[in-house]
Amino acid sequence: MYSVDDFTKEELKWTKPFNKNQTIIFTSEKGEVDTIIYKQVILSNETVNDLERGFYKSNYLSIPYEFTKGSYHQFDFDGTSATEQDFVSIEKSSAGFGSMEISFIGLLFNEDEIEKAKKININTYQFDSLNATAKWVNIKKGIKSFTFNTDIGILSYIDERDIKWIKK
């Protein structure tokens, strides 16, 4: 009844490292630790049949992640901890609208900013806070940049103190 475009190869490349639940440890140059639990890709959909909202179907793809207790970085909503956020969030709709966002430790990038990420090599990208849609969103201590490989995931990040964090 409603036709929704498939997720493109370009969109799906950002989800490739997340085909299963995984726990990744990052260590800072100062010996601090972040333990991040990435959930596997979640696919969901919604059909709307409403005179006020319209008549359409939407498909969603997301990759939630969370910090473990004791991690240096933590999410913050009104002074309380949140349990998870989405690293990648993609929406496609039969009504012709859609969106894609990448969000990591307070940096948020929409489709335009994702395209502006510095390409280091064929599979590796540098995301910088200077090109972010929003900075330090819902986080107690933010980062300035991160490096992402479409086969491996997050490789490293630089926090707001200019401290480098590397995947163990």
Side-chain angles (χ1 to χ4, degrees):
M1 183 164 155
Y2 302 113
S3 177
V4 180
D5 291 339
D6 291 333
F7 296 110
T8 66
K9 187 175 182 180
E10 180 67 20
E11 291 166 331
L12 292 175
K13 80 179 181 183
W14 304 106
T15 68
K16 187 177 176 186
F18 307 102
N19 60 1
K20 63 180 180 176
N21 291 340
Q22 53 188 310
T23 301
I24 307 293
I25 298 171
F26 292 88
T27 56
S28 78
E29 296 169 325
K30 294 181 119 187
E32 300 149 324
V33 175
D34 273 343
T35 303
I36 302 175
I37 300 169
Y38 294 97
K39 310 290 176 75
Q40 68 184 20
V41 175
I42 296 173
L43 295 169
S44 60
N45 60 54
E46 170 188 38
T47 300
V48 175
N49 292 309
D50 185 279
L51 287 174
E52 290 181 16
R53 290 180 56 203
F55 301 87
Y56 59 91
K57 179 177 181 179
S58 293
N59 290 336
Y60 304 95
L61 181 150
S62 61
I63 300 165
Y65 76 99
E66 64 186 352
F67 293 101
T68 61
K69 287 186 178 188
S71 289
Y72 177 83
H73 291 97
Q74 294 291 323
F75 296 126
D76 184 30
F77 291 99
D78 299 320
T80 61
S81 294
T83 56
E84 64 184 33
Q85 290 187 4
D86 290 334
F87 174 70
V88 173
S89 178
I90 306 171
E91 176 187 2
K92 295 244 181 175
S93 170
S94 63
F97 60 85
S99 65
M100 178 175 170
E101 293 180 338
I102 291 179
S103 177
F104 187 63
I105 312 184
L107 296 181
L108 176 66
F109 299 86
N110 68 22
E111 291 174 74
D112 292 334
E113 281 80 26
I114 293 168
E115 289 180 18
K116 293 176 187 174
K118 180 181 177 184
K119 193 169 187 177
I120 296 171
N121 64 38
I122 193 164
N123 294 328
T124 307
Y125 296 83
Q126 179 77 36
F127 288 85
D128 192 292
S129 63
L130 297 174
N131 297 326
T133 307
K135 302 175 200 173
W136 301 292
V137 178
N138 300 326
I139 198 82
K140 290 183 179 182
K141 298 172 185 170
I143 63 171
K144 291 183 175 182
S145 65
F146 67 92
T147 304
F148 181 83
N149 181 286
T150 56
D151 292 324
I152 301 168
I154 302 290
L155 301 175
S156 64
Y157 47 94
I158 307 285
D159 71 18
E160 60 192 359
R161 307 167 298 166
D162 289 320
I163 304 292
K164 186 170 187 175
W165 294 71
I166 299 174
K167 181 178 180 177
K168 239 177 160 179

